[in-house]
Amino acid sequence: MGIIFSTSLHKTTTTTNHHIFILSGQSNMSGRGGVTHHHWDHIIPDDCKPDPSTIHRLTANLTWETAQDPLHADIDTSKTCGVGPGMPFANAIKDYVTGVIDLVPCAIGGTSIGKWGKGGMLYENMVKRAKAAMSSSGGEVKALVWYQGESDTSSKRVAEGYKVSMESLIRNVRSDLGLPVIQVGFGLKWVGSEWVRVRTGSALLLVFSTWYTGFKLRLHIPGPRNALNAVSVAIASGEGKYVEVVREARKAIDLPNVVCVDAKGLELKEDKIHLTTAAQVELGHMLADAYLAHFG
């Protein structure tokens, strides 16, 4: 299982920054790459190789160990786990962050968005694990990395309600982890003969100018701060006929510090639900690119 650290050792002997990422959702997050007939082939792509000095994982027992696939082996225990997007994501961002990457796997296969509601077992366990990660490492939760929705494609009502359910989940997690958005950025832009308020999404930018001197005074005030970032996936497949409804609902989410990557077109296994190993690696890079572009 790699190097195992006690919770206290991970906290007290490390002076570097700890960047915590919650990996949650359902089976394509927990990983089914390389799994055939309940058997994992144990093939680890280079982009998924463990890095004991930099990439760690919170176990089901809330201790730290070297992260390696299957990241969710002791979390999503009712199914066989294989390669997911977590390791290629971590390996892709490690050279762009200073410190240690701490992964907190929480995904459970076959779960609908309704099962992730506040007060439910899955939600409360995810929050518990995130808080344990922060307490034991002294680190900050940098993002919730979310891939879920395939189980919500069988019902039109559930699919159409996915946007509201997902926005509620993000708000609840932010609140429970003490990472709410406390300021939404906007700006004022001179259009024609008047000032127009423009949302920037990241900062308050006021630009004052005089046409006769060309002088400009810019006042920059930070935008959303101390917010839990979220990088989520517009699903590539589903169990029912409302895949596009869920995909569009996900892409329509309009919350600060939330970005979406689109998994449509990534290679699927024969079951037409789960991503292949190669597709999981590609998705991991897509998630990393999105995180670094918006939050890194």
Side-chain angles (χ1 to χ4, degrees), residues 9 35 42 52 69-70 75 80 83 90 107 112 116 130 160 180 194 239 254 278 283 292:
L9 181 62
V35 176
H42 289 82
D69 279 318
I75 303 297
T80 302
V83 173
S112 64
W116 288 93
E160 290 178 339
E194 62 181 350
E239 300 171 1
D254 183 25
L283 177 61
L292 292 172

Side-chain angles (χ1 to χ4, degrees), residues 40 42-56 66-69 71 83-84 86-92 94 103 281 285:
W40 179 45
H42 289 82
I43 296 175
I44 303 291
D46 287 342
D47 290 347
C48 300
K49 297 292 187 184
D51 184 344
S53 65
T54 306
I55 307 174
H56 302 154
T66 299
Q68 58 185 358
D69 279 318
L71 286 175
V83 173
M87 286 303 298
F89 167 80
N91 275 307
K94 68 181 182 181
L103 303 178
V281 171
H285 282 277

Side-chain angles (χ1 to χ4, degrees), residues 1-294:
M1 291 297 293
I3 300 173
I4 298 179
F5 312 88
S6 71
T7 304
S8 59
L9 181 62
H10 191 64
K11 179 177 180 181
T12 60
T13 64
T14 304
T15 58
T16 56
N17 295 326
H18 285 257
H19 305 267
I20 301 170
F21 295 90
I22 304 169
L23 309 177
S24 199
Q26 57 181 114
S27 55
N28 271 320
M29 176 55 76
S30 62
R32 299 292 186 265
V35 176
T36 304
H37 302 303
H38 310 292
H39 175 74
W40 179 45
D41 60 17
H42 289 82
I43 296 175
I44 303 291
D46 287 342
D47 290 347
C48 300
K49 297 292 187 184
D51 184 344
S53 65
T54 306
I55 307 174
H56 302 154
R57 178 189 92 97
L58 190 69
T59 70
N61 294 325
L62 305 183
T63 57
W64 293 100
E65 68 177 13
T66 299
Q68 58 185 358
D69 279 318
L71 286 175
H72 284 76
D74 60 346
I75 303 297
D76 189 12
T77 56
S78 65
K79 300 291 178 64
T80 302
C81 295
V83 173
M87 286 303 298
F89 167 80
N91 275 307
I93 68 170
K94 68 181 182 181
D95 291 335
Y96 299 92
V97 300
T98 302
V100 173
I101 296 171
D102 289 335
L103 303 178
V104 183
C106 300
I108 302 293
T111 53
S112 64
I113 190 67
K115 293 183 178 180
W116 288 93
K118 183 177 173 65
M121 180 181 67
L122 297 181
Y123 176 89
E124 297 301 329
N125 187 57
M126 176 174 64
V127 171
K128 173 186 174 182
R129 288 176 55 74
K131 288 182 176 180
M134 290 189 289
S135 175
S136 62
S137 72
E140 298 180 356
V141 177
K142 294 299 184 179
L144 166 65
V145 187
W146 180 269
Y147 190 169
Q148 186 276 334
E150 294 91 342
S151 292
D152 296 292
T153 60
S154 297
S155 165
K156 183 178 181 181
R157 177 185 61 81
V158 173
E160 290 178 339
Y162 190 86
K163 176 179 181 290
V164 172
S165 298
M166 190 65 208
E167 288 179 344
S168 177
L169 183 145
I170 293 172
R171 290 191 183 99
N172 287 334
V173 174
R174 283 174 169 171
S175 177
D176 287 340
L177 295 183
L179 298 169
V181 173
I182 61 173
Q183 182 180 357
V184 176
F186 68 92
L188 295 178
K189 180 180 180 181
W190 184 258
V191 178
S193 60
E194 62 181 350
W195 290 105
V196 178
R197 177 176 168 136
V198 180
R199 179 174 174 172
T200 68
S202 61
L204 173 62
L205 175 63
L206 301 179
V207 182
F208 302 97
S209 65
T210 55
W211 65 271
Y212 52 86
T213 63
F215 173 76
K216 292 184 179 182
L217 171 63
R218 294 175 180 265
L219 174 62
H220 182 275
I221 303 174
R225 300 294 297 244
N226 300 324
L228 173 67
N229 303 315
V231 185
S232 65
V233 181
I235 58 175
S237 58
E239 300 171 1
K241 62 181 180 180
Y242 298 107
V243 174
E244 287 303 318
V245 177
V246 173
R247 280 175 45 76
E248 292 306 312
R250 170 57 200 91
K251 290 190 286 185
I253 291 174
D254 183 25
L255 292 176
N257 294 51
V258 178
V259 297
C260 176
V261 301
D262 196 344
K264 188 172 184 177
L266 293 180
E267 184 181 20
L268 298 174
K269 296 167 59 178
E270 292 181 359
D271 62 12
K272 302 303 180 183
I273 296 290
H274 298 109
L275 300 181
T276 64
T277 295
Q280 288 285 18
V281 171
E282 185 175 352
L283 177 61
H285 282 277
M286 292 166 62
L287 291 167
D289 289 343
Y291 173 77
L292 292 172
H294 292 274

